[in-house]
Amino acid sequence: MKKLFALCLLPLCLLLCACEADAPQQEEAQAELLIGFSQLGSESSWRIGNTLSIQKAAQEHGINLMYDNALQKQENQIAQLRSFIAYQVDLIVFSPIVEDGWDNVLTEARHAGIPVILMDRFINTADDSLYTAYIGADFYMEGVRAADYLLEKAGQMSKETINIVEISGTEDATPTLHRYQGFHDKVDRDPRFHTLETISGDFLRSKGKECMEYLLDTYGDEIDVLYSHNDGMTLGAIDVIQSYGLVPGKDIIIITVDGEQAAIDLLKEGKINCVVECTPLLGDLVMNMAEKLKAGESIPRTTHPQEGVFTEFDDLSTLPPRGY
Ligand code: GYE
C-alpha cells in the first residue's frame, strides 16, 4: 500500500521538480538584461510619447527597465546615472537634457564597465569613448527641412523682405542647437529673409505663449513667419496669435517641429503651414541595439530614425494617426 502511494506521488514530484527547475531559468531569462533609463522630464507630448515607447518596447522585448525621470534638472539626471552605476545595470540609456557637463559621471560608468547609449539627445565631450552609440533624430536636417518649406512658400509670396521670429528650445540642448543651425545655414544665405529675434521657450507650451506675447508686443505686424522648435510651444503661440486678432497660418506663417497629432490637426485646419517630423517612437530601435550589445555584437555609432515633413502643399487625407 505504501509502495502504491509512493508510486502515485512520483509523477506529482516529478512535475513539481520540473516546475522548480524551470522557475529560476525563467527568472534568469528575464533578468538577463537590465537597462537603467533616465528620461529628462515630461515637458511635452513628444517626451511623454518617448517615455511610453521605451517602456512598451522593453516590456515587449522582455527586458527589465529601471526607469527614472529627472524632472528637467541635470543634477537629478546625474544622480540617477550614479544610482544605475551603483546598481550595476547592464546598460545605461539616457536622454541628456543639455549637451555639457557629462564627462565625470560617464567616466564613472566606463570604470564600472557599463556601456551607455545616448537616446534622443547628444552630449558635448572631448572623449568620444564615453558613450557607445547615439540613437535619435538628425536635428540639423530637421532645420534644413523647415528652411526648404519656407523657401518654397516664399516663392509664392512676392515680398522683398520676409521677417522671421524664432522660438527655440532648451538652451544647450541638441535639438535647439541643430534645428537653429540647419535652418539658418539655408535662410541666412537668402537676402529676402530677416530674423527679427530668436528666444528660448524651453520646449514648454506655457513659455511658448509668453514668448509669442513678447514677440507680438515688440514687433507687431512686422512678423511674417514663426519658426518654433516644438509643437508644444507652437500651440501656446497660436493661442496668443488668435487672441491678438490675427489668423495663424495666414497673417503669420507657422513652421513647427515634432509632428504630434494636435499639430497635424491644425495643419489640416490651415492654422499651421509646415510640420517637420521628429519621432519619439524610438523604443524598438533602442531595445534592438541593447540586445545586440548584450550578445557581444557591434552596433552603429549613430542611428537616425526615418523622418519626413508635412506641409500645406501635401495631401494629408490618408495620413495615419500619429500615436503621440
Ligand atoms: O522636439 C521636444 C521635446 O529632444 C527631440 O524635446 C526632443 C525634443 C522635442 O521636449 O518636443
Side-chain angles (χ1 to χ4, degrees):
M1 179 69 185
K2 258 190 199 162
K3 229 181 189 176
L4 187 65
F5 186 57
L7 270 179
C8 288
L9 278 183
L10 191 64
L12 185 64
C13 285
L14 285 177
L15 192 72
L16 282 177
C17 292
C19 291
E20 264 177 25
D22 264 6
Q25 262 176 20
Q26 259 173 23
E27 265 166 34
E28 249 172 49
Q30 272 175 14
E32 231 180 324
L33 185 48
L34 173 61
I35 297 181
F37 167 47
S38 167
Q39 180 58 283
L40 65 85
S42 311
E43 74 285 0
S44 61
S45 299
W46 190 101
R47 185 67 47 202
I48 290 159
N50 178 246
T51 303
L52 289 174
S53 164
I54 299 281
Q55 288 172 329
K56 186 165 165 266
Q59 214 174 27
E60 285 167 359
H61 287 244
I63 292 174
N64 287 320
L65 199 67
M66 269 180 102
Y67 165 70
D68 226 332
N69 188 316
L71 307 173
Q72 257 64 46
K73 288 207 167 61
Q74 185 177 26
E75 69 250 36
N76 291 348
Q77 218 168 10
I78 290 174
Q80 288 163 9
L81 300 193
R82 290 212 163 102
S83 78
F84 296 152
I85 295 169
Y87 211 87
Q88 295 184 299
V89 298
D90 298 304
L91 171 68
I92 289 176
V93 175
F94 82 114
S95 174
I97 182 157
V98 290
E99 290 208 337
D100 290 308
W102 301 102
D103 281 19
N104 286 345
V105 68
L106 294 186
T107 305
E108 292 165 31
R110 192 176 50 197
H111 286 155
I114 301 173
V116 173
I117 290 182
L118 307 176
M119 190 274 305
D120 162 42
R121 295 188 183 177
F122 209 66
I123 59 167
N124 179 22
T125 178
D127 183 356
D128 284 348
S129 72
L130 289 179
Y131 62 90
T132 304
Y134 166 72
I135 301 170
D138 184 339
F139 300 117
Y140 184 86
M141 281 312 298
E142 291 176 355
V144 168
R145 286 183 198 117
D148 284 342
Y149 159 77
L150 187 55
L151 285 162
E152 190 178 351
K153 180 76 176 174
Q156 308 176 345
M157 281 168 70
S158 64
K159 267 194 142 201
E160 259 174 45
T161 308
I162 296 174
N163 288 324
I164 301 165
V165 292
E166 178 173 9
I167 306 182
S168 63
T170 303
E171 280 168 38
D172 189 36
T174 317
T176 306
L177 299 167
H178 294 191
R179 284 173 186 166
Y180 175 91
Q181 208 54 53
F183 182 77
H184 287 278
D185 279 354
K186 277 212 133 173
V187 300
D188 293 359
R189 272 190 274 145
D190 187 322
R192 281 173 300 176
F193 297 116
H194 178 57
T195 301
L196 296 169
E197 193 164 337
T198 302
I199 41 167
S200 168
D202 212 8
F203 287 128
L204 293 167
R205 181 174 181 148
S206 56
K207 283 211 186 154
K209 215 170 181 165
E210 281 170 28
C211 288
M212 198 66 223
E213 266 161 17
Y214 159 79
L215 290 165
L216 280 168
D217 287 345
T218 310
Y219 302 104
D221 56 14
E222 276 180 73
I223 302 171
D224 299 306
V225 177
L226 165 66
Y227 171 41
S228 159
H229 286 202
N230 89 340
D231 291 343
M233 298 187 298
T234 307
L235 297 179
I238 285 177
D239 287 345
V240 176
I241 292 170
Q242 294 185 135
S243 73
Y244 276 59
L246 297 167
V247 182
K250 303 224 157 37
D251 294 328
I252 299 181
I253 292 157
I254 300 196
I255 306 172
T256 185
V257 190
D258 275 356
E260 59 185 64
Q261 191 61 53
I264 296 293
D265 292 345
L266 289 177
L267 174 64
K268 287 181 180 167
E269 280 174 42
K271 292 182 175 174
I272 288 179
N273 307 75
C274 170
V275 177
V276 177
E277 183 184 29
C278 178
T279 181
L281 308 177
L282 301 173
D284 261 326
L285 273 179
V286 170
M287 298 310 148
N288 286 335
M289 298 291 173
E291 280 165 345
K292 284 192 175 160
L293 270 185
K294 182 74 181 171
E297 291 170 40
S298 64
I299 61 171
R301 263 307 259 184
T302 305
T303 304
H304 295 311
Q306 273 272 322
E307 288 174 338
V309 60
F310 311 105
T311 80
E312 60 181 320
F313 307 129
D314 301 325
D315 172 13
L316 301 166
S317 56
T318 57
L319 192 69
R322 302 290 298 152
Y324 60 99

